Amino acid sequence: MFVNSTLNTTIIYMKNEHSEIHFLRLVATMAVVMLHTSSGIYGNWGNYTSDANFDKSIFALYIHLTEWCVPVFLLISGALLLSPERDTGYKTIFKKYIRRIAWALLIFALPMTLSESFLENRGESILYILYDGVTDWLCGHSWAHLWYLYMLIGIYLITPIIKPFVVAANDRDLEIALFTLFLLSMLLPTISDYVTPIEGYLLLPPPYIFIYMLGYYLHSRTEHHKILRNKGLWTAVFAASTAAIMVVVLTKGSLDGWMELAWFPLAIAIFMLAKLMHIDWDIARKAAPYCFGVYLLHPVFVNLSYKILDITPLNSLGKTPCTIALLLFFVVFTALAFGAAYAVSKIPFIKKNVI
């Protein structure tokens, strides 16, 4: 599942951006919170309930309707970092971008991983708990949402390699490159998994580089193609993708096979509609400095509520329907995460090096 510096090019506030970037960053950050509010229950369903009255597919629906969040983050990253105006030489990549990820992983991810090691290895020696936690942290086996930070290190490292081609390529060459990456990293792996086995040497999973490059293409080449400027088209794509996800999840309980690609047109439609409509929300500008902190910190409140306090949408709101209960928990987790992000942003070192 795709499911948030770094994210400092996608979630962290940046000056002189197009207004829609702030909006996209905010709604994608909130979608991440909704995703984990749902998946925290769905992924451990048996631990929280055996009551048949609860509809598990509702949790799956919230998950699949928010899986566009990480692709949108990558589209934003591509739009910003692959721009010719952006300095992305290796000196800047290490000093500005990877440095922030490293501090985020050290200050936030390491304690999270150690806490997980403690909970999983209670009864073992402190040295074993530390060894297990640090090993997991170094190998990228931290809390689920932090995989994106590890992935972004790879994206940043490859940026100076692919950027010369992306910037210099004409429309046709860039479109051929994107189609090739889509074929090798998205379409063929899906066919291989669910239709017929395809020799692994022909595959190029996962599709992060494709989505990253696509963000630049959509952001920089929209004016070249009338079809890309068609709001009606993207509205239809958004509606059709949303409807397809809802129908499949509510009838089958989850997405599988080619339907797992449904988040892809949904992410593009959200990205393009925000761009074409020039959405400029003052609240999005004000929230921008705290979105990365929300991404980092919201699972603390989800895990505290679900795993420690045993307060979940299934057991704490009486007969409130799951649909409403999930929304209420999402609102609470979002508010707490923004409050925590605001608080840690007041720490000078964190404000300078992470947030």
Side-chain angles (χ1 to χ4, degrees):
M1 182 188 300
F2 276 92
V3 182
N4 254 170
S5 278
T6 74
L7 245 55
N8 73 319
T9 58
T10 57
I11 295 183
I12 288 183
Y13 171 76
M14 300 181 74
K15 297 179 180 179
N16 301 321
E17 293 176 350
H18 293 272
S19 60
E20 68 271 9
I21 297 297
H22 300 296
F23 167 79
L24 286 167
R25 183 183 293 112
L26 175 60
V27 296
T29 299
M30 295 179 70
V32 169
V33 180
M34 183 73 254
L35 173 64
H36 293 137
T37 300
S38 305
S39 64
I41 298 294
Y42 185 83
N44 301 281
W45 186 261
N47 295 334
Y48 296 112
T49 185
S50 58
D51 191 339
N53 292 325
F54 292 117
D55 189 352
K56 188 178 180 181
S57 65
I58 295 299
F59 291 79
L61 183 61
Y62 275 109
I63 291 171
H64 293 308
L65 285 177
T66 53
E67 283 182 314
W68 52 264
C69 55
V70 168
V72 164
F73 283 139
L74 278 174
L75 290 170
I76 298 171
S77 285
L80 297 176
L81 281 182
L82 294 177
S83 170
E85 292 78 25
R86 183 80 59 175
D87 178 10
T88 51
Y90 274 114
K91 181 179 179 180
T92 301
I93 287 292
F94 279 101
K95 185 178 180 180
K96 183 177 180 181
Y97 300 118
I98 292 180
R99 176 172 171 268
R100 285 182 177 271
I101 288 187
W103 278 119
L105 290 174
L106 180 64
I107 295 172
F108 294 97
L110 181 57
M112 291 175 180
T113 311
L114 289 174
S115 69
E116 198 71 22
S117 177
F118 173 78
L119 292 174
E120 291 180 355
N121 300 295
R122 280 176 289 188
E124 301 287 347
S125 68
I126 294 297
L127 286 178
Y128 179 83
I129 291 173
L130 290 173
Y131 171 79
D132 181 70
V134 172
T135 301
D136 283 346
W137 175 69
L138 291 172
C139 295
H141 303 151
S142 186
W143 282 13
H145 73 299
L146 295 170
W147 71 269
Y148 187 61
L149 299 186
Y150 293 92
M151 181 271 290
L152 274 178
I153 294 176
I155 288 291
Y156 290 137
L157 289 175
I158 203 171
T159 293
I161 299 173
I162 65 175
K163 185 171 181 176
F165 164 76
V166 170
V167 173
N170 58 38
D171 286 359
R172 186 169 183 271
D173 287 343
L174 187 53
E175 287 158 6
I176 291 173
L178 287 169
F179 175 77
T180 302
L181 287 171
F182 172 77
L183 185 69
L184 296 178
S185 67
M186 294 190 71
L187 189 58
L188 289 184
T190 300
I191 294 174
S192 179
D193 285 342
Y194 297 102
V195 181
T196 184
I198 297 176
E199 177 54 59
Y201 298 114
L202 295 176
L203 309 181
L204 186 67
Y208 308 132
I209 296 175
F210 162 67
I211 302 171
Y212 183 58
M213 288 175 57
L214 182 64
Y216 169 77
Y217 174 80
L218 294 174
H219 191 67
S220 64
R221 308 297 171 91
T222 298
E223 299 304 319
H224 299 193
H225 303 287
K226 184 177 180 180
I227 190 172
L228 294 180
R229 302 194 301 271
N230 190 323
K231 295 179 186 177
L233 168 65
W234 296 117
T235 301
V237 171
F238 175 87
S241 300
T242 302
I245 291 172
M246 294 181 68
V247 168
V248 173
V249 172
L250 293 177
T251 56
K252 298 183 62 177
S254 65
L255 298 184
D256 55 29
W258 66 271
M259 276 302 300
E260 290 186 341
L261 293 178
W263 55 260
F264 175 63
L266 186 56
I268 296 176
I270 291 170
F271 182 85
M272 291 303 298
L273 285 172
K275 176 178 174 60
L276 294 172
M277 295 170 67
H278 304 291
I279 297 177
D280 187 6
W281 288 3
D282 185 57
I283 191 173
R285 291 180 178 275
K286 292 179 178 178
Y290 311 110
C291 286
F292 184 51
V294 171
Y295 180 88
L296 289 172
L297 294 169
H298 75 275
V300 173
F301 301 104
V302 176
N303 286 328
L304 177 64
S305 178
Y306 291 175
K307 296 182 179 180
I308 306 300
L309 301 178
D310 192 30
I311 299 174
T312 76
L314 299 176
N315 65 15
S316 59
L317 294 175
K319 296 182 179 180
T320 303
C322 287
T323 304
I324 304 301
L326 270 171
L327 287 175
L328 292 174
F329 270 73
F330 157 71
V331 170
V332 172
F333 290 148
T334 301
L336 290 172
F338 267 104
Y342 175 81
V344 300
S345 72
K346 298 304 178 182
I347 302 173
F349 183 84
I350 292 180
K351 182 177 182 180
K352 178 182 177 181
N353 294 285
V354 182
I355 305 297

